[in-house]
Amino acid sequence: MALELRPNCECCDRDLPPAAAAYICTFECTFCPDCAGRTLAFVCPNCGGDLVLRPIRPAAQLAKNPPSAVRVLRDQRCTARS
């Protein structure tokens, strides 16, 4: 089973194409670099797990394993961790 490669940041809704830098947790919650680092301190606000750099899927594999088109947004605003 391949990663979903979600198309947006769950905090700010920034587009995150498959080749873009993005951070994910083990549940594939997905965040842009700004939200992951500045706002969330690399801790997932949903599960409390680490946010790590999402791997890049090689372009040749995108046709066979396309990214998700489903946009996911948090119900609550992302707030800075202290």
Side-chain angles (χ1 to χ4, degrees), residues 15-74:
D15 287 341
L16 296 172
Y23 286 81
I24 62 173
C25 72
T26 61
F27 294 101
E28 298 185 53
C29 301
T30 304
F31 304 95
C32 71
D34 289 339
C35 289
R38 293 183 188 155
T39 304
L40 303 173
F42 299 102
V43 176
C44 180
N46 301 321
C47 71
D50 293 339
L51 292 175
V52 298
L53 193 59
R54 178 178 76 179
I56 300 296
R57 183 165 300 153
Q61 296 294 321
L62 287 173
K64 182 179 175 184
N65 298 291
S68 174
V70 177
R71 297 181 84 80
V72 177
L73 287 171
R74 287 179 42 79

Side-chain angles (χ1 to χ4, degrees), residues 10-12 31 35 39-40 45-46 73-80:
E10 290 186 31
C11 284
C12 70
F31 304 95
C35 289
T39 304
L40 303 173
N46 301 321
L73 287 171
R74 287 179 42 79
D75 291 335
Q76 299 176 340
R77 179 177 165 83
C78 292
T79 56

